[in-house]
Amino acid sequence: MRDLIDYRSEFPILEHTTYLASHTLGPMPRRAPELLAEFARMWAERGIRSWAEGWWASPMRVGDQIGRIVGAPAGSTVMQQNVAIAEAIVLSCFRPVDPARNRVVYERANFPSVRYLYQAQPDLDVVVCESDEEIVERIDERTLLVPISHVLFRESEIQDVEPIVQRAHEVGAYVVLDCYQSAGIVPVDVTALGVDFAVGGSVKWLCGGPANGWLYVRPDLAERLEPTSTGWQAHERPFAFEEELEYSSTGSARFLTGTPNPAAHMAGTAGYDLIEEIGVQRIRDNSLRQTELLIELVDAAGFDVYSPRDRERRGGAVIVVVAEAAAVYAELEARAILGDFRPGAGIRLGPHFFTTDDEIRFAVDQIVDIVETGAYERHVGAAALH
């Protein structure tokens, strides 16, 4: 077993930055360019034959690798471009929406992109809740979907998922669990949780890069649901080019749409391989220790913490609250210390398995220096750019 510190060599950006941004964009693994080069070689040398030599099957093959990380059985997880598209496909299974069951119970703190999707549908009644406890209270027989986050992006708070799933199933509603901020940093088992659907992406803790969203569908649902947002890859015989759609009978393949993105899928495996090699529980244990250290340092510096102090409810990031947080973060970035800033929260810092304790100490020391010297003042008026 390799020491976690040994994995630093797998990420080129660590050679010249203090990287505490895996909650927003995981760093590129060293093998990713090699895999992209392999994609380019196949395109250049194999041409059209590349589809039969791995490209076409990449959404299912790479989806199975994600599935192993999140506790999903083989064949139940497929790659999508992003979470918004994945949830749009889920929603399309229930078209036309029954007016007697058109409610979407939603938590305000969820990532806004998906909320935009549901609020844009004129036939849905979106009920916005303030907490996971209120979600349980508001689910009733009119509820169709309950999209929730395993870890909230702004607070880095782990949600209490089990009571929500139990209540939803009592009334015949479906739960869509967003694992974007948990997959790769917090253990998640979608099978044990009993969720109907799970979505996520690879931009963050999985270090798999953009255009690598994914969708899990509970196997028994995959056998009977028929998404109306679809495409030729969802067909049982796509290369027969038949005029009528016959949904694929292979696991969740019927939830695919058009031509896949093998370049992204191939590159993403560089990150997934590392996560599988290390193991999410080992990553979580180290994360808890380092986020605890980060909180202790922030407390000693006299700043507030927005994220949960309870280790059982804390995700992988710690949110530091300082005055003029956007400007302070802009100066941190100018000093090659990378995290990010979110309005209404503060500076988000996300150590990952390759982070050293000294880097955490350095980042907090630099925040103290920036505040005490007024170095942030040249950035006043800054806004989040990523």
Side-chain angles (χ1 to χ4, degrees):
M1 182 181 292
R2 296 170 63 183
D3 290 337
L4 292 180
I5 200 71
D6 289 345
Y7 288 94
R8 291 181 64 80
S9 62
E10 303 285 352
F11 300 95
I13 199 170
L14 302 184
E15 297 170 6
H16 52 85
T17 66
T18 300
Y19 205 87
L20 298 170
S22 294
H23 58 279
T24 184
L25 176 62
M28 184 194 73
R30 192 173 297 278
R31 281 192 62 237
E34 298 173 11
L35 294 167
L36 286 169
E38 173 61 12
F39 166 80
R41 184 201 65 78
M42 292 180 70
W43 189 8
E45 298 179 9
R46 303 302 295 163
I48 192 173
R49 295 170 291 188
S50 299
W51 290 114
E53 293 171 1
W55 284 9
W56 185 259
S58 65
M60 290 76 76
R61 182 181 65 254
V62 179
D64 277 345
Q65 186 171 24
I66 296 290
R68 292 193 297 270
I69 294 171
V70 299
S76 63
T77 307
V78 293
M79 303 304 288
Q80 304 287 348
Q81 181 176 340
N82 55 51
V83 162
I85 289 174
E87 294 213 24
I89 294 168
V90 170
L91 177 58
S92 79
C93 296
F94 305 100
R95 296 290 189 194
V97 175
D98 181 355
R101 190 182 280 275
N102 71 339
R103 177 164 290 179
V104 175
V105 178
Y106 195 93
E107 187 167 13
R108 187 182 304 279
N110 285 341
F111 194 76
S113 180
V114 177
R115 182 175 174 181
Y116 303 155
L117 166 68
Y118 292 108
Q119 288 186 322
Q121 313 303 317
D123 52 354
L124 295 181
D125 174 24
V126 179
V127 177
V128 180
C129 302
E130 302 300 329
S131 66
D132 46 6
E133 294 87 358
E134 186 183 353
I135 291 175
V136 175
E137 296 172 1
R138 300 295 294 274
I139 294 172
D140 59 20
E141 287 74 10
R142 295 166 292 177
T143 305
L144 173 62
L145 292 173
V146 186
I148 57 174
S149 295
H150 190 207
V151 176
L152 297 173
F153 82 102
R154 187 177 278 115
E155 294 91 339
S156 192
E157 179 182 359
I158 299 174
Q159 299 292 277
D160 192 5
V161 173
E162 289 89 341
I164 297 173
V165 175
Q166 179 180 344
R167 176 57 181 158
H169 289 174
E170 285 175 357
V171 299
Y174 299 90
V175 174
V176 187
L177 182 66
D178 186 338
C179 301
Y180 221 135
Q181 284 288 354
S182 57
I185 190 73
V186 176
V188 55
D189 187 328
V190 296
T191 301
L193 289 172
V195 296
D196 307 291
F197 309 93
V199 297
S202 308
V203 172
K204 306 183 190 301
W205 303 105
L206 291 172
C207 301
N212 272 325
W214 53 270
L215 168 64
Y216 158 80
V217 183
R218 207 178 72 207
D220 62 302
L221 293 178
E223 293 177 358
R224 60 182 176 83
L225 292 180
E226 297 184 346
T228 56
S229 179
T230 188
W232 74 309
Q233 199 171 34
H235 199 286
E236 178 72 6
R237 296 168 298 278
F239 290 100
F241 304 104
E242 298 171 6
E243 292 187 7
E244 301 298 327
L245 171 62
E246 180 181 336
Y247 287 103
S248 173
S249 60
T250 305
S252 294
R254 66 172 57 193
F255 290 82
L256 294 169
T257 55
T259 304
N261 186 347
H265 300 162
M266 291 172 69
T269 61
Y272 314 148
D273 287 347
L274 292 172
I275 298 298
E276 283 200 284
E277 178 180 322
I278 300 167
V280 177
Q281 186 59 59
R282 187 180 178 202
I283 293 172
R284 173 63 171 168
D285 292 342
N286 185 67
S287 172
L288 285 172
R289 183 187 64 79
Q290 289 196 318
T291 52
E292 197 70 39
L293 170 63
L294 181 48
I295 290 172
E296 291 173 1
L297 294 169
V298 169
D299 284 344
F303 303 126
D304 291 329
V305 172
Y306 186 65
S307 42
R309 293 176 178 272
D310 179 356
R311 58 189 282 126
E312 299 304 319
R313 294 293 295 240
R314 187 170 67 246
V318 171
I319 293 81
V320 182
V321 181
V322 298
E324 297 289 351
V328 173
Y329 176 70
E331 179 60 23
L332 277 176
E333 189 165 304
R335 300 182 183 193
I337 302 168
L338 302 182
D340 69 0
F341 160 77
R342 289 294 176 263
I347 298 170
R348 297 194 304 176
L349 300 176
H352 211 350
F353 59 87
F354 46 74
T355 305
T356 68
D357 291 358
D358 283 344
E359 285 180 305
I360 294 172
R361 296 185 183 98
F362 176 69
V364 176
D365 286 345
Q366 289 299 297
I367 294 174
V368 171
D369 179 75
I370 290 167
V371 170
E372 290 182 349
T373 64
Y376 68 89
E377 293 174 357
R378 66 188 179 116
H379 303 288
V380 169
L385 299 176
H386 44 67

mmCIF file with all atom_site columns, all heavy atoms in Angstrom, residues 43-61:
data_model
loop_
_atom_site.group_PDB
_atom_site.id
_atom_site.type_symbol
_atom_site.label_atom_id
_atom_site.label_alt_id
_atom_site.label_comp_id
_atom_site.label_asym_id
_atom_site.label_entity_id
_atom_site.label_seq_id
_atom_site.pdbx_PDB_ins_code
_atom_site.Cartn_x
_atom_site.Cartn_y
_atom_site.Cartn_z
_atom_site.occupancy
_atom_site.B_iso_or_equiv
_atom_site.pdbx_formal_charge
_atom_site.auth_seq_id
_atom_site.auth_comp_id
_atom_site.auth_asym_id
_atom_site.auth_atom_id
_atom_site.pdbx_PDB_model_num
ATOM 1   N N   . TRP A 1 43 ? -8.184  7.606  -33.026 1.00 0.00 ? 43 TRP A N   1
ATOM 2   C CA  . TRP A 1 43 ? -8.856  8.383  -34.066 1.00 0.00 ? 43 TRP A CA  1
ATOM 3   C C   . TRP A 1 43 ? -7.979  8.467  -35.313 1.00 0.00 ? 43 TRP A C   1
ATOM 4   O O   . TRP A 1 43 ? -8.443  8.289  -36.447 1.00 0.00 ? 43 TRP A O   1
ATOM 5   C CB  . TRP A 1 43 ? -9.184  9.764  -33.510 1.00 0.00 ? 43 TRP A CB  1
ATOM 6   C CG  . TRP A 1 43 ? -10.051 10.609 -34.381 1.00 0.00 ? 43 TRP A CG  1
ATOM 7   C CD1 . TRP A 1 43 ? -10.696 10.250 -35.528 1.00 0.00 ? 43 TRP A CD1 1
ATOM 8   C CD2 . TRP A 1 43 ? -10.384 11.981 -34.160 1.00 0.00 ? 43 TRP A CD2 1
ATOM 9   N NE1 . TRP A 1 43 ? -11.413 11.306 -36.040 1.00 0.00 ? 43 TRP A NE1 1
ATOM 10  C CE2 . TRP A 1 43 ? -11.234 12.382 -35.216 1.00 0.00 ? 43 TRP A CE2 1
ATOM 11  C CE3 . TRP A 1 43 ? -10.043 12.898 -33.167 1.00 0.00 ? 43 TRP A CE3 1
ATOM 12  C CZ2 . TRP A 1 43 ? -11.746 13.678 -35.308 1.00 0.00 ? 43 TRP A CZ2 1
ATOM 13  C CZ3 . TRP A 1 43 ? -10.569 14.192 -33.264 1.00 0.00 ? 43 TRP A CZ3 1
ATOM 14  C CH2 . TRP A 1 43 ? -11.400 14.574 -34.326 1.00 0.00 ? 43 TRP A CH2 1
ATOM 15  N N   . ALA A 1 44 ? -6.675  8.724  -35.104 1.00 0.00 ? 44 ALA A N   1
ATOM 16  C CA  . ALA A 1 44 ? -5.755  8.908  -36.227 1.00 0.00 ? 44 ALA A CA  1
ATOM 17  C C   . ALA A 1 44 ? -5.479  7.604  -36.968 1.00 0.00 ? 44 ALA A C   1
ATOM 18  O O   . ALA A 1 44 ? -5.427  7.575  -38.206 1.00 0.00 ? 44 ALA A O   1
ATOM 19  C CB  . ALA A 1 44 ? -4.444  9.514  -35.732 1.00 0.00 ? 44 ALA A CB  1
ATOM 20  N N   . GLU A 1 45 ? -5.315  6.502  -36.199 1.00 0.00 ? 45 GLU A N   1
ATOM 21  C CA  . GLU A 1 45 ? -4.865  5.262  -36.819 1.00 0.00 ? 45 GLU A CA  1
ATOM 22  C C   . GLU A 1 45 ? -5.983  4.264  -37.088 1.00 0.00 ? 45 GLU A C   1
ATOM 23  O O   . GLU A 1 45 ? -5.915  3.503  -38.056 1.00 0.00 ? 45 GLU A O   1
ATOM 24  C CB  . GLU A 1 45 ? -3.804  4.603  -35.926 1.00 0.00 ? 45 GLU A CB  1
ATOM 25  C CG  . GLU A 1 45 ? -2.551  5.445  -35.742 1.00 0.00 ? 45 GLU A CG  1
ATOM 26  C CD  . GLU A 1 45 ? -1.539  4.778  -34.827 1.00 0.00 ? 45 GLU A CD  1
ATOM 27  O OE1 . GLU A 1 45 ? -1.748  3.581  -34.477 1.00 0.00 ? 45 GLU A OE1 1
ATOM 28  O OE2 . GLU A 1 45 ? -0.553  5.451  -34.459 1.00 0.00 ? 45 GLU A OE2 1
ATOM 29  N N   . ARG A 1 46 ? -6.979  4.260  -36.239 1.00 0.00 ? 46 ARG A N   1
ATOM 30  C CA  . ARG A 1 46 ? -8.042  3.273  -36.380 1.00 0.00 ? 46 ARG A CA  1
ATOM 31  C C   . ARG A 1 46 ? -9.301  3.844  -37.007 1.00 0.00 ? 46 ARG A C   1
ATOM 32  O O   . ARG A 1 46 ? -10.137 3.108  -37.521 1.00 0.00 ? 46 ARG A O   1
ATOM 33  C CB  . ARG A 1 46 ? -8.382  2.672  -35.004 1.00 0.00 ? 46 ARG A CB  1
ATOM 34  C CG  . ARG A 1 46 ? -7.200  2.023  -34.298 1.00 0.00 ? 46 ARG A CG  1
ATOM 35  C CD  . ARG A 1 46 ? -6.592  0.912  -35.136 1.00 0.00 ? 46 ARG A CD  1
ATOM 36  N NE  . ARG A 1 46 ? -7.539  -0.192 -35.297 1.00 0.00 ? 46 ARG A NE  1
ATOM 37  C CZ  . ARG A 1 46 ? -7.416  -1.131 -36.226 1.00 0.00 ? 46 ARG A CZ  1
ATOM 38  N NH1 . ARG A 1 46 ? -6.400  -1.081 -37.097 1.00 0.00 ? 46 ARG A NH1 1
ATOM 39  N NH2 . ARG A 1 46 ? -8.295  -2.103 -36.314 1.00 0.00 ? 46 ARG A NH2 1
ATOM 40  N N   . GLY A 1 47 ? -9.471  5.169  -36.924 1.00 0.00 ? 47 GLY A N   1
ATOM 41  C CA  . GLY A 1 47 ? -10.607 5.806  -37.572 1.00 0.00 ? 47 GLY A CA  1
ATOM 42  C C   . GLY A 1 47 ? -11.929 5.228  -37.122 1.00 0.00 ? 47 GLY A C   1
ATOM 43  O O   . GLY A 1 47 ? -12.164 5.018  -35.925 1.00 0.00 ? 47 GLY A O   1
ATOM 44  N N   . ILE A 1 48 ? -12.803 4.931  -38.081 1.00 0.00 ? 48 ILE A N   1
ATOM 45  C CA  . ILE A 1 48 ? -14.151 4.459  -37.776 1.00 0.00 ? 48 ILE A CA  1
ATOM 46  C C   . ILE A 1 48 ? -14.148 3.177  -36.951 1.00 0.00 ? 48 ILE A C   1
ATOM 47  O O   . ILE A 1 48 ? -15.075 2.910  -36.182 1.00 0.00 ? 48 ILE A O   1
ATOM 48  C CB  . ILE A 1 48 ? -14.948 4.259  -39.089 1.00 0.00 ? 48 ILE A CB  1
ATOM 49  C CG1 . ILE A 1 48 ? -16.434 4.053  -38.782 1.00 0.00 ? 48 ILE A CG1 1
ATOM 50  C CG2 . ILE A 1 48 ? -14.363 3.123  -39.911 1.00 0.00 ? 48 ILE A CG2 1
ATOM 51  C CD1 . ILE A 1 48 ? -17.293 4.009  -40.022 1.00 0.00 ? 48 ILE A CD1 1
ATOM 52  N N   . ARG A 1 49 ? -13.096 2.386  -37.070 1.00 0.00 ? 49 ARG A N   1
ATOM 53  C CA  . ARG A 1 49 ? -13.014 1.135  -36.314 1.00 0.00 ? 49 ARG A CA  1
ATOM 54  C C   . ARG A 1 49 ? -12.951 1.372  -34.807 1.00 0.00 ? 49 ARG A C   1
ATOM 55  O O   . ARG A 1 49 ? -13.218 0.465  -34.010 1.00 0.00 ? 49 ARG A O   1
ATOM 56  C CB  . ARG A 1 49 ? -11.793 0.335  -36.786 1.00 0.00 ? 49 ARG A CB  1
ATOM 57  C CG  . ARG A 1 49 ? -11.879 -0.126 -38.233 1.00 0.00 ? 49 ARG A CG  1
ATOM 58  C CD  . ARG A 1 49 ? -10.565 -0.695 -38.727 1.00 0.00 ? 49 ARG A CD  1
ATOM 59  N NE  . ARG A 1 49 ? -9.546  0.351  -38.853 1.00 0.00 ? 49 ARG A NE  1
ATOM 60  C CZ  . ARG A 1 49 ? -8.352  0.150  -39.402 1.00 0.00 ? 49 ARG A CZ  1
ATOM 61  N NH1 . ARG A 1 49 ? -8.020  -1.046 -39.866 1.00 0.00 ? 49 ARG A NH1 1
ATOM 62  N NH2 . ARG A 1 49 ? -7.476  1.146  -39.479 1.00 0.00 ? 49 ARG A NH2 1
ATOM 63  N N   . SER A 1 50 ? -12.605 2.595  -34.405 1.00 0.00 ? 50 SER A N   1
ATOM 64  C CA  . SER A 1 50 ? -12.489 2.910  -32.973 1.00 0.00 ? 50 SER A CA  1
ATOM 65  C C   . SER A 1 50 ? -13.806 2.716  -32.235 1.00 0.00 ? 50 SER A C   1
ATOM 66  O O   . SER A 1 50 ? -13.801 2.379  -31.043 1.00 0.00 ? 50 SER A O   1
ATOM 67  C CB  . SER A 1 50 ? -12.002 4.348  -32.787 1.00 0.00 ? 50 SER A CB  1
ATOM 68  O OG  . SER A 1 50 ? -10.742 4.543  -33.370 1.00 0.00 ? 50 SER A OG  1
ATOM 69  N N   . TRP A 1 51 ? -14.931 2.942  -32.920 1.00 0.00 ? 51 TRP A N   1
ATOM 70  C CA  . TRP A 1 51 ? -16.217 2.775  -32.243 1.00 0.00 ? 51 TRP A CA  1
ATOM 71  C C   . TRP A 1 51 ? -16.370 1.349  -31.734 1.00 0.00 ? 51 TRP A C   1
ATOM 72  O O   . TRP A 1 51 ? -16.791 1.129  -30.588 1.00 0.00 ? 51 TRP A O   1
ATOM 73  C CB  . TRP A 1 51 ? -17.368 3.131  -33.184 1.00 0.00 ? 51 TRP A CB  1
ATOM 74  C CG  . TRP A 1 51 ? -17.444 4.585  -33.484 1.00 0.00 ? 51 TRP A CG  1
ATOM 75  C CD1 . TRP A 1 51 ? -17.238 5.206  -34.682 1.00 0.00 ? 51 TRP A CD1 1
ATOM 76  C CD2 . TRP A 1 51 ? -17.736 5.626  -32.546 1.00 0.00 ? 51 TRP A CD2 1
ATOM 77  N NE1 . TRP A 1 51 ? -17.381 6.568  -34.551 1.00 0.00 ? 51 TRP A NE1 1
ATOM 78  C CE2 . TRP A 1 51 ? -17.694 6.859  -33.251 1.00 0.00 ? 51 TRP A CE2 1
ATOM 79  C CE3 . TRP A 1 51 ? -18.029 5.660  -31.177 1.00 0.00 ? 51 TRP A CE3 1
ATOM 80  C CZ2 . TRP A 1 51 ? -17.931 8.086  -32.649 1.00 0.00 ? 51 TRP A CZ2 1
ATOM 81  C CZ3 . TRP A 1 51 ? -18.267 6.884  -30.568 1.00 0.00 ? 51 TRP A CZ3 1
ATOM 82  C CH2 . TRP A 1 51 ? -18.216 8.079  -31.307 1.00 0.00 ? 51 TRP A CH2 1
ATOM 83  N N   . ALA A 1 52 ? -16.034 0.376  -32.561 1.00 0.00 ? 52 ALA A N   1
ATOM 84  C CA  . ALA A 1 52 ? -16.168 -1.023 -32.159 1.00 0.00 ? 52 ALA A CA  1
ATOM 85  C C   . ALA A 1 52 ? -15.033 -1.478 -31.253 1.00 0.00 ? 52 ALA A C   1
ATOM 86  O O   . ALA A 1 52 ? -15.128 -2.536 -30.636 1.00 0.00 ? 52 ALA A O   1
ATOM 87  C CB  . ALA A 1 52 ? -16.228 -1.909 -33.399 1.00 0.00 ? 52 ALA A CB  1
ATOM 88  N N   . GLU A 1 53 ? -13.976 -0.680 -31.178 1.00 0.00 ? 53 GLU A N   1
ATOM 89  C CA  . GLU A 1 53 ? -12.803 -1.059 -30.386 1.00 0.00 ? 53 GLU A CA  1
ATOM 90  C C   . GLU A 1 53 ? -12.752 -0.352 -29.034 1.00 0.00 ? 53 GLU A C   1
ATOM 91  O O   . GLU A 1 53 ? -11.696 -0.252 -28.425 1.00 0.00 ? 53 GLU A O   1
ATOM 92  C CB  . GLU A 1 53 ? -11.542 -0.784 -31.209 1.00 0.00 ? 53 GLU A CB  1
ATOM 93  C CG  . GLU A 1 53 ? -11.431 -1.684 -32.435 1.00 0.00 ? 53 GLU A CG  1
ATOM 94  C CD  . GLU A 1 53 ? -10.304 -1.297 -33.380 1.00 0.00 ? 53 GLU A CD  1
ATOM 95  O OE1 . GLU A 1 53 ? -9.575  -0.316 -33.064 1.00 0.00 ? 53 GLU A OE1 1
ATOM 96  O OE2 . GLU A 1 53 ? -10.148 -1.951 -34.416 1.00 0.00 ? 53 GLU A OE2 1
ATOM 97  N N   . GLY A 1 54 ? -13.900 0.149  -28.586 1.00 0.00 ? 54 GLY A N   1
ATOM 98  C CA  . GLY A 1 54 ? -13.972 0.704  -27.240 1.00 0.00 ? 54 GLY A CA  1
ATOM 99  C C   . GLY A 1 54 ? -14.731 1.997  -27.089 1.00 0.00 ? 54 GLY A C   1
ATOM 100 O O   . GLY A 1 54 ? -15.265 2.291  -26.011 1.00 0.00 ? 54 GLY A O   1
ATOM 101 N N   . TRP A 1 55 ? -14.777 2.800  -28.126 1.00 0.00 ? 55 TRP A N   1
ATOM 102 C CA  . TRP A 1 55 ? -15.435 4.098  -27.979 1.00 0.00 ? 55 TRP A CA  1
ATOM 103 C C   . TRP A 1 55 ? -16.916 3.959  -27.655 1.00 0.00 ? 55 TRP A C   1
ATOM 104 O O   . TRP A 1 55 ? -17.422 4.624  -26.759 1.00 0.00 ? 55 TRP A O   1
ATOM 105 C CB  . TRP A 1 55 ? -15.274 4.918  -29.254 1.00 0.00 ? 55 TRP A CB  1
ATOM 106 C CG  . TRP A 1 55 ? -13.914 5.515  -29.448 1.00 0.00 ? 55 TRP A CG  1
ATOM 107 C CD1 . TRP A 1 55 ? -12.792 5.276  -28.720 1.00 0.00 ? 55 TRP A CD1 1
ATOM 108 C CD2 . TRP A 1 55 ? -13.550 6.457  -30.459 1.00 0.00 ? 55 TRP A CD2 1
ATOM 109 N NE1 . TRP A 1 55 ? -11.744 6.004  -29.206 1.00 0.00 ? 55 TRP A NE1 1
ATOM 110 C CE2 . TRP A 1 55 ? -12.180 6.746  -30.275 1.00 0.00 ? 55 TRP A CE2 1
ATOM 111 C CE3 . TRP A 1 55 ? -14.232 7.077  -31.503 1.00 0.00 ? 55 TRP A CE3 1
ATOM 112 C CZ2 . TRP A 1 55 ? -11.486 7.631  -31.092 1.00 0.00 ? 55 TRP A CZ2 1
ATOM 113 C CZ3 . TRP A 1 55 ? -13.554 7.962  -32.323 1.00 0.00 ? 55 TRP A CZ3 1
ATOM 114 C CH2 . TRP A 1 55 ? -12.190 8.240  -32.112 1.00 0.00 ? 55 TRP A CH2 1
ATOM 115 N N   . TRP A 1 56 ? -17.610 3.111  -28.425 1.00 0.00 ? 56 TRP A N   1
ATOM 116 C CA  . TRP A 1 56 ? -19.063 3.040  -28.290 1.00 0.00 ? 56 TRP A CA  1
ATOM 117 C C   . TRP A 1 56 ? -19.485 2.552  -26.905 1.00 0.00 ? 56 TRP A C   1
ATOM 118 O O   . TRP A 1 56 ? -20.453 3.035  -26.327 1.00 0.00 ? 56 TRP A O   1
ATOM 119 C CB  . TRP A 1 56 ? -19.650 2.127  -29.372 1.00 0.00 ? 56 TRP A CB  1
ATOM 120 C CG  . TRP A 1 56 ? -21.141 2.096  -29.365 1.00 0.00 ? 56 TRP A CG  1
ATOM 121 C CD1 . TRP A 1 56 ? -21.949 1.123  -28.844 1.00 0.00 ? 56 TRP A CD1 1
ATOM 122 C CD2 . TRP A 1 56 ? -22.020 3.101  -29.875 1.00 0.00 ? 56 TRP A CD2 1
ATOM 123 N NE1 . TRP A 1 56 ? -23.268 1.451  -29.006 1.00 0.00 ? 56 TRP A NE1 1
ATOM 124 C CE2 . TRP A 1 56 ? -23.341 2.671  -29.642 1.00 0.00 ? 56 TRP A CE2 1
ATOM 125 C CE3 . TRP A 1 56 ? -21.819 4.318  -30.519 1.00 0.00 ? 56 TRP A CE3 1
ATOM 126 C CZ2 . TRP A 1 56 ? -24.457 3.412  -30.031 1.00 0.00 ? 56 TRP A CZ2 1
ATOM 127 C CZ3 . TRP A 1 56 ? -22.930 5.061  -30.909 1.00 0.00 ? 56 TRP A CZ3 1
ATOM 128 C CH2 . TRP A 1 56 ? -24.228 4.615  -30.660 1.00 0.00 ? 56 TRP A CH2 1
ATOM 129 N N   . ALA A 1 57 ? -18.759 1.624  -26.364 1.00 0.00 ? 57 ALA A N   1
ATOM 130 C CA  . ALA A 1 57 ? -19.127 1.026  -25.076 1.00 0.00 ? 57 ALA A CA  1
ATOM 131 C C   . ALA A 1 57 ? -18.634 1.827  -23.880 1.00 0.00 ? 57 ALA A C   1
ATOM 132 O O   . ALA A 1 57 ? -18.899 1.456  -22.737 1.00 0.00 ? 57 ALA A O   1
ATOM 133 C CB  . ALA A 1 57 ? -18.582 -0.398 -24.994 1.00 0.00 ? 57 ALA A CB  1
ATOM 134 N N   . SER A 1 58 ? -17.937 2.939  -24.117 1.00 0.00 ? 58 SER A N   1
ATOM 135 C CA  . SER A 1 58 ? -17.326 3.664  -22.999 1.00 0.00 ? 58 SER A CA  1
ATOM 136 C C   . SER A 1 58 ? -18.333 4.173  -21.965 1.00 0.00 ? 58 SER A C   1
ATOM 137 O O   . SER A 1 58 ? -18.014 4.162  -20.769 1.00 0.00 ? 58 SER A O   1
ATOM 138 C CB  . SER A 1 58 ? -16.452 4.812  -23.518 1.00 0.00 ? 58 SER A CB  1
ATOM 139 O OG  . SER A 1 58 ? -17.211 5.801  -24.183 1.00 0.00 ? 58 SER A OG  1
ATOM 140 N N   . PRO A 1 59 ? -19.548 4.623  -22.328 1.00 0.00 ? 59 PRO A N   1
ATOM 141 C CA  . PRO A 1 59 ? -20.467 5.081  -21.275 1.00 0.00 ? 59 PRO A CA  1
ATOM 142 C C   . PRO A 1 59 ? -20.852 3.980  -20.296 1.00 0.00 ? 59 PRO A C   1
ATOM 143 O O   . PRO A 1 59 ? -21.077 4.252  -19.113 1.00 0.00 ? 59 PRO A O   1
ATOM 144 C CB  . PRO A 1 59 ? -21.684 5.569  -22.062 1.00 0.00 ? 59 PRO A CB  1
ATOM 145 C CG  . PRO A 1 59 ? -21.196 5.842  -23.434 1.00 0.00 ? 59 PRO A CG  1
ATOM 146 C CD  . PRO A 1 59 ? -20.114 4.842  -23.672 1.00 0.00 ? 59 PRO A CD  1
ATOM 147 N N   . MET A 1 60 ? -20.928 2.738  -20.784 1.00 0.00 ? 60 MET A N   1
ATOM 148 C CA  . MET A 1 60 ? -21.272 1.631  -19.897 1.00 0.00 ? 60 MET A CA  1
ATOM 149 C C   . MET A 1 60 ? -20.049 1.129  -19.139 1.00 0.00 ? 60 MET A C   1
ATOM 150 O O   . MET A 1 60 ? -20.106 0.879  -17.936 1.00 0.00 ? 60 MET A O   1
ATOM 151 C CB  . MET A 1 60 ? -21.898 0.484  -20.698 1.00 0.00 ? 60 MET A CB  1
ATOM 152 C CG  . MET A 1 60 ? -23.292 0.792  -21.229 1.00 0.00 ? 60 MET A CG  1
ATOM 153 S SD  . MET A 1 60 ? -23.314 1.904  -22.666 1.00 0.00 ? 60 MET A SD  1
ATOM 154 C CE  . MET A 1 60 ? -22.779 0.783  -23.978 1.00 0.00 ? 60 MET A CE  1
ATOM 155 N N   . ARG A 1 61 ? -18.923 0.987  -19.840 1.00 0.00 ? 61 ARG A N   1
ATOM 156 C CA  . ARG A 1 61 ? -17.709 0.467  -19.207 1.00 0.00 ? 61 ARG A CA  1
ATOM 157 C C   . ARG A 1 61 ? -17.221 1.408  -18.105 1.00 0.00 ? 61 ARG A C   1
ATOM 158 O O   . ARG A 1 61 ? -16.927 0.978  -16.976 1.00 0.00 ? 61 ARG A O   1
ATOM 159 C CB  . ARG A 1 61 ? -16.617 0.279  -20.258 1.00 0.00 ? 61 ARG A CB  1
ATOM 160 C CG  . ARG A 1 61 ? -15.327 -0.311 -19.700 1.00 0.00 ? 61 ARG A CG  1
ATOM 161 C CD  . ARG A 1 61 ? -14.261 -0.450 -20.775 1.00 0.00 ? 61 ARG A CD  1
ATOM 162 N NE  . ARG A 1 61 ? -13.814 0.833  -21.306 1.00 0.00 ? 61 ARG A NE  1
ATOM 163 C CZ  . ARG A 1 61 ? -14.138 1.318  -22.506 1.00 0.00 ? 61 ARG A CZ  1
ATOM 164 N NH1 . ARG A 1 61 ? -14.908 0.626  -23.318 1.00 0.00 ? 61 ARG A NH1 1
ATOM 165 N NH2 . ARG A 1 61 ? -13.695 2.497  -22.910 1.00 0.00 ? 61 ARG A NH2 1
#
